[in-house]
């Protein structure tokens, strides 16, 4: 079996942790990669610049893939643009279309009615073109099967996994004299609630978010800082130096928060996260994290106070969370899960 992977996180991903783990699997594979940045503070720039770049990437790598010997039996892509591009290019070049796997599919349904109809039509085409669509929660697998009226084998669940580059040395961590809590991410966050809790508690809080819309309702307070241009190693330094990490989720019907949550676990940080059907798959309350009710000011406040003031609790959550990450969500486990699906298909 020959598998081509389309990767957008690095100019050359052939020596990445993802590639290193792929080499341990018993499949023949090639990686087609480029660095496609989607870091935009306003969504309009994503539409005007980010999406065209993604589409260009998809077409360019599809041509390369179809002219590479041996030709792929499978193409594993991170973007729906790649699925569409490969289908179009293989048709135009009169080449046999390989089987297509789409990773990390998240479908939101909160748009205006006319937008929702167009979106459903487009993604029905994408789902039809793909042979496997990977979701990172069981809830989404079940919902998407019903919504798109697809065969049971189309949507599959693979737990999210990643590799976290630790900051290069402890001397490079943030030199702040006072401890702080950290939150990060833009999708489906309830930063308004988080801001109210910390405005009352007075503990230092940093929110890493490049979306003005996501943080517009955060209370203005001296102890709360918004870091809107913090990426890569700078972000990991902020995360590694934090006293605790909080992921407040505002939605419960799609995957949200797993990336930050797992990054924090990998760096041995105690985590507080909103209890949703998707986060429940990744955390055990009181063991690997503290889970709090969605929208509950009181529960979130009590959880923050508990972790902030109890050194033993924080250390226990950090250590059990780290072990859980290594066992269930490391890059090695994630790649093995993907390859197991490919081998069985």
């Amino acid at each position: 079996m020959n598998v081509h992977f389309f990767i957008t996180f690095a100019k050359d991903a052939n020596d990445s942790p993802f590639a290193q783990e792929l080499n341990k699997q018993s499949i023949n594979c090639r990686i087609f990669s480029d660095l496609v940045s989607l870091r935009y503070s306003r969504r309009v720039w994503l539409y005007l610049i980010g999406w065209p770049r993604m589409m260009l990437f998809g077409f360019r790598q599809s041509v390369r893939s179809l002219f590479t010997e041996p030709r792929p039996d499978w193409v594993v892509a991170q973007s729906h643009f790649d699925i569409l591009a490969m289908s179009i290019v293989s048709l135009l070049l009169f080449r046999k279309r390989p089987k297509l796997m789409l990773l990390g599919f998240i479908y939101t349904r909160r748009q205006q009615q006319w937008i929702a109809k167009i979106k459903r039509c487009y993604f029905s085409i994408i789902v039809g073109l793909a042979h496997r669509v990977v979701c990172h929660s069981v809830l989404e697998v079940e919902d998407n099967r019903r919504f798109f009226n697809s065969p049971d084998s189309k949507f599959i669940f693979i737990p999210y996994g990643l590799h976290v580059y630790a900051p290069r040395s402890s001397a490079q961590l943030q030199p702040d004299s006072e401890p702080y809590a950290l939150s990060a991410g833009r999708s489906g966050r309830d930063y308004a609630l988080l801001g109210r809790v910390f405005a009352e508690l007075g503990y230092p809080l940093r929110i890493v978010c490049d979306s003005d819309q996501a943080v517009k309702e955060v209370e203005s307070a001296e102890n709360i800082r918004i870091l809107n241009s913090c990426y890569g190693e700078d972000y990991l330094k902020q995360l590694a130096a934090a006293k605790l990490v909080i992921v407040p989720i505002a939605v419960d019907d799609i995957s949200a928060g797993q990336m930050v949550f797992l990054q924090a676990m990998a760096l041995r940080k105690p985590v507080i996260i909103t209890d949703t059907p998707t986060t429940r798959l990744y955390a055990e309350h009181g063991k690997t994290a503290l889970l709090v009710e969605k929208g509950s000011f009181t529960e979130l406040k009590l959880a923050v106070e508990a972790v902030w003031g109890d050194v033993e609790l924080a250390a226990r959550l950090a250590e059990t969370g780290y072990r859980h990450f290594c066992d269930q969500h490391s890059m090695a486990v994630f790649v093995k899960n993907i390859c197991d699906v490919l081998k069985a298909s």
Side-chain angles (χ1 to χ4, degrees):
M1 178 173 59
N2 299 302
V3 186
H4 290 178
F5 290 85
F6 289 7
I7 302 299
T8 59
F9 58 69
K11 194 73 176 176
D12 182 4
N14 285 291
D15 193 35
S16 65
F18 183 86
Q20 292 167 14
E21 296 303 330
L22 271 180
N23 291 333
K24 299 176 184 177
Q25 302 298 316
S26 56
I27 61 172
N28 297 318
C29 61
R30 290 283 299 272
I31 291 178
F32 298 83
S33 66
D34 201 352
L35 180 60
V36 183
S37 176
L38 297 177
R39 296 171 179 173
Y40 304 105
S41 60
R42 297 186 182 277
R43 200 162 183 82
V44 65
W45 297 115
L46 176 66
Y47 301 148
L48 296 177
I49 301 176
W51 283 7
R53 285 179 174 173
M54 290 294 292
M55 181 58 82
L56 180 62
F57 169 87
F59 276 104
R60 186 170 62 249
Q61 306 307 341
S62 294
V63 172
R64 289 182 61 203
S65 171
L66 291 173
F67 279 98
T68 297
E69 297 292 344
R71 294 179 187 174
D73 300 301
W74 278 93
V75 167
V76 180
Q78 296 176 295
S79 165
H80 55 89
F81 294 118
D82 299 336
I83 302 296
L84 184 61
M86 175 56 80
S87 300
I88 293 173
V89 170
S90 59
L91 180 65
L92 293 176
L93 296 179
F94 302 102
R95 299 291 178 105
K96 180 182 177 181
R97 181 166 63 95
K99 292 182 179 180
L100 303 173
M101 175 186 283
L102 175 58
L103 294 178
F105 182 75
I106 300 175
Y107 188 84
T108 56
R109 307 174 196 174
R110 290 180 290 275
Q111 294 82 8
Q112 296 177 358
Q113 187 174 4
W114 68 274
I115 297 177
K117 288 181 178 179
I118 296 173
K119 183 176 180 180
R120 180 171 185 173
C121 181
Y122 170 75
F123 278 103
S124 293
I125 295 172
I126 297 298
V127 168
L129 293 171
H131 295 77
R132 295 289 184 272
V133 181
V134 175
C135 301
H136 296 314
S137 82
V138 175
L139 173 67
E140 287 175 301
V141 168
E142 296 170 349
D143 285 350
N144 286 325
R145 282 174 181 169
R146 289 192 296 267
F147 187 74
F148 292 103
N149 192 27
S150 67
D152 289 348
S153 61
K154 176 79 70 171
F155 288 94
I156 59 173
F157 167 63
I158 294 179
Y160 187 66
L162 50 81
H163 176 81
V164 178
Y165 293 94
R168 285 174 290 186
S169 73
S170 58
Q172 291 177 296
L173 299 181
Q174 298 296 311
D176 305 83
S177 57
E178 62 177 359
Y180 62 87
L182 184 129
S183 190
R186 60 156 66 184
S187 177
R189 299 299 195 266
D190 192 353
Y191 286 136
L193 173 65
L194 184 66
R196 291 198 302 273
V197 167
F198 274 81
E200 179 167 315
L201 290 174
Y203 302 155
L205 169 68
R206 299 180 185 183
I207 299 175
V208 178
C209 181
D210 61 2
S211 169
D212 297 336
Q213 181 71 19
V215 296
K216 69 176 184 178
E217 295 182 4
V218 176
E219 288 194 26
S220 178
E222 290 185 0
N223 61 308
I224 299 175
R225 288 178 55 191
I226 308 296
L227 306 179
N228 53 19
S229 297
C230 185
Y231 302 107
E233 190 167 343
D234 289 337
Y235 160 63
L236 290 177
K237 289 177 183 178
Q238 293 284 345
L239 188 64
K243 183 180 178 73
L244 72 150
V245 175
I246 307 164
V247 189
I249 306 299
V251 297
D252 56 12
D253 58 340
I254 61 171
S255 291
Q258 289 103 321
M259 179 181 291
V260 175
F261 171 64
L262 294 176
Q263 288 170 332
M265 292 174 99
L267 292 175
R268 283 190 167 96
K269 298 289 124 178
V271 181
I272 299 170
I273 190 167
T274 305
D275 184 6
T276 72
T278 58
T279 60
R280 217 170 292 144
L281 292 169
Y282 290 77
E284 183 178 349
H285 177 64
K287 185 176 180 180
T288 57
L290 294 186
L291 278 70
V292 298
E293 181 182 353
K294 182 167 72 77
S296 174
F297 177 93
T298 301
E299 281 200 20
L300 182 55
K301 179 173 179 285
L302 290 174
V304 172
E305 289 179 315
V307 178
W308 194 277
D310 190 332
V311 175
E312 291 185 1
L313 171 62
R316 186 174 71 251
L317 291 174
E319 187 57 32
T320 55
Y322 174 73
R323 291 201 301 269
H324 175 72
F325 169 82
C326 294
D327 292 341
Q328 301 294 327
H329 303 289
S330 66
M331 182 60 74
V333 176
F334 184 52
V335 170
K336 182 180 183 301
N337 288 338
I338 294 172
C339 291
D340 285 347
V341 172
L342 294 172
K343 293 172 186 176
S345 299

